[in-house]
Amino acid sequence: MNALSDLEQISSEEKEIIKISTLITQTEENFQKNRAEELIRNLAYYRGEFWMGDGYSVGTAQDTARHYNAIQNEVFPIIDTIASSLAMDLPQVEALDQRQESYKVPSRAQDPTYSGKRIAAALNFFAEEDSLDESLRELILHALIFDMSVIKVMWSSDLGRPIWRTKLPWEVHFDPNAKRVEDAMWCFERFVIHVEDLKSRIKSGVYSQPKKTIKGDTYPRSLVYQQMKDEAEIKLREAGLKEYVSLVEFWDFKHNKLYHIHPDTKQVLMESEIPYGRPYEVLVFHPGIGRIRGISDVSLVAPIQRDINELVSARREVAARLPRRMMIDAKLFRSD
C-alpha cells in the first residue's frame, strides 16, 4: 500500500510539473508572438534606433550601414520630459504629532508619536539605502516605454530587510484572466543565474539535487539579442560562453505555493509555502479595459516619429538622385 501511494504521489507531482511547464511555455510563446516585437521596438525608438520599414526606404546600402539611426528623434525628448515631470526626489516619510488634538497626556511608552517616528526613520533608511528615487524614475520610464512597469518587493536574507527591484516586462508574466494584479491566480518570473551559483545553491541545500543534469543553456540577454542584436551578447556567443542557466520562479497563489523550476528538464528545484504576500506590483499609463496591461506612450508617439522618418528618407532619396550640378541651394537640403 505504501509503494502504491508513493507512486500515486509521484504521479501527481509529475502531472503538476508538466502542467506548470506547459503553462510557462504557452505564456512565453504567446508573448513572443503578440507582444515582444512592439515592446522591443519601443525600446529601440527610445534609444533612437529604428527598424527597416519604420518610415525608412528599403534596400540602400547606406541605410543598412547606419542601422537606421534617427536623424531627428522626437520620441526621446517627449518621453524624457514626461518621466522627469513625474519622477520625484527621494521620498520621505514624516510622522505628525497628534497629541495636540487629544486632551490626554500619554506616557512615552503609550504615545504613538514616538512609534511613528521610529517607523518613519526605518522607512526613510530603506528608501535611502535602496535609492528609491532612482527606482521610481526607472519604474515610470518603463511604464512610458512598455505596456506595463513591474516592481518586485522581496525579503533579502543577506541584508535582513525588504528590497525592491524593477523588472522588465518580458521577465514577469501574469495570469491573463486577471483584470488586476491582486486578482491573478498565478504569475511567474524568468531569471538567469550563473552555473556556479546554481551549484552553490544545490550544495547549500537551497535547491534540491536535480535528477537530470542541468548545464548552461542560455545567455544573459537572449530575448534582447534576438530582436536588437545586443553587442555584449554577440561577443559572448562568439566566445561560446554559454555559462548561464535560465530558471523560472512560479507563484501559485491559489494553492499558496512557490516553485523554482528548470522548465527545459521539467524539474522542480525548490518548493515551499509562499513566504509573504504578493511580491509584484505594476504601474501602467492609459490602462487597458479588462486587462492588467496598458498602452505605452511610445506606442502613441510612434506614428509621429514614423512620419518624420518618412520625410527624412524621402528627402535623402531625392538628394541622392539629383545631379551634382543641381545641389546649389544649401537651404533646400539643410539636413544633408
Side-chain angles (χ1 to χ4, degrees), residues 297-327:
D297 284 71
V298 173
S299 295
L300 299 175
V301 177
I304 301 175
Q305 183 64 58
R306 292 193 189 103
D307 290 342
I308 294 173
N309 293 347
E310 288 179 357
L311 291 174
V312 172
S313 179
R315 190 166 68 237
R316 280 178 167 272
E317 288 188 7
V318 171
R321 286 176 170 80
L322 286 175
R324 292 186 178 181
R325 63 178 181 274
M326 297 182 65
M327 298 291 292

Side-chain angles (χ1 to χ4, degrees), residues 133-254:
D133 51 347
E134 293 297 327
S135 298
L136 284 174
R137 179 178 175 80
E138 189 177 13
L139 189 70
I140 291 170
L141 187 60
H142 286 189
L144 293 170
I145 296 175
F146 307 120
D147 54 11
M148 70 164 57
S149 181
V150 184
I151 191 167
K152 182 180 183 182
V153 182
M154 50 194 166
W155 179 262
S156 173
S157 300
D158 296 334
L159 299 177
R161 60 180 176 85
I163 58 175
W164 41 80
R165 298 290 183 265
T166 52
K167 300 293 180 178
L168 292 167
W170 48 81
E171 294 175 338
V172 183
H173 302 276
F174 297 95
D175 177 6
N177 296 318
K179 297 179 182 179
R180 302 177 300 173
V181 174
E182 53 266 29
D183 297 333
M185 301 300 294
W186 55 265
C187 68
F188 69 86
E189 174 188 349
R190 184 175 283 275
F191 64 100
V192 175
I193 64 173
H194 198 272
V195 173
E196 296 301 323
D197 293 332
L198 176 65
K199 294 178 180 178
S200 176
R201 293 186 182 187
I202 295 173
K203 185 177 180 180
S204 62
V206 175
Y207 285 169
S208 302
Q209 183 68 38
K211 297 177 181 178
K212 301 177 183 178
T213 304
I214 299 177
K215 298 180 180 180
D217 55 11
T218 189
Y219 295 93
R221 305 176 63 190
S222 294
L223 180 61
V224 177
Y225 167 82
Q226 291 172 10
Q227 302 290 346
M228 300 184 68
K229 306 300 182 185
D230 183 76
E231 294 295 332
E233 188 150 319
I234 289 175
K235 293 181 180 179
L236 288 174
R237 288 173 180 267
E238 290 176 350
L241 298 178
K242 203 178 222 184
E243 299 178 345
Y244 295 84
V245 178
S246 180
L247 303 178
V248 169
E249 183 176 275
F250 191 91
W251 296 76
D252 186 350
F253 300 115
K254 184 177 181 180

Side-chain angles (χ1 to χ4, degrees), residues 36-44 51 170 223-224 227-228:
E37 183 175 0
E38 180 182 2
L39 298 185
I40 301 298
R41 179 171 292 190
N42 285 358
L43 179 59
W51 295 357
W170 48 81
L223 180 61
V224 177
Q227 302 290 346
M228 300 184 68

Side-chain angles (χ1 to χ4, degrees), residues 72-133:
Q72 181 179 347
N73 184 12
E74 296 296 334
V75 173
F76 177 84
I78 293 174
I79 300 303
D80 185 63
T81 301
I82 298 174
S84 299
S85 63
L86 294 178
M88 61 183 74
D89 295 332
L90 184 65
Q92 293 290 301
V93 179
E94 182 180 359
L96 300 178
D97 192 344
Q98 299 294 324
R99 288 175 293 181
Q100 59 189 0
E101 300 180 4
S102 174
Y103 64 90
K104 296 182 180 180
V105 181
S107 64
R108 183 181 180 91
Q110 297 173 340
D111 190 354
T113 301
Y114 292 100
S115 299
K117 288 182 177 179
R118 294 190 192 101
I119 295 173
L123 293 175
N124 291 333
F125 171 77
F126 293 152
E128 186 174 357
E129 285 294 307
D130 281 347
S131 303
L132 185 57
D133 51 347

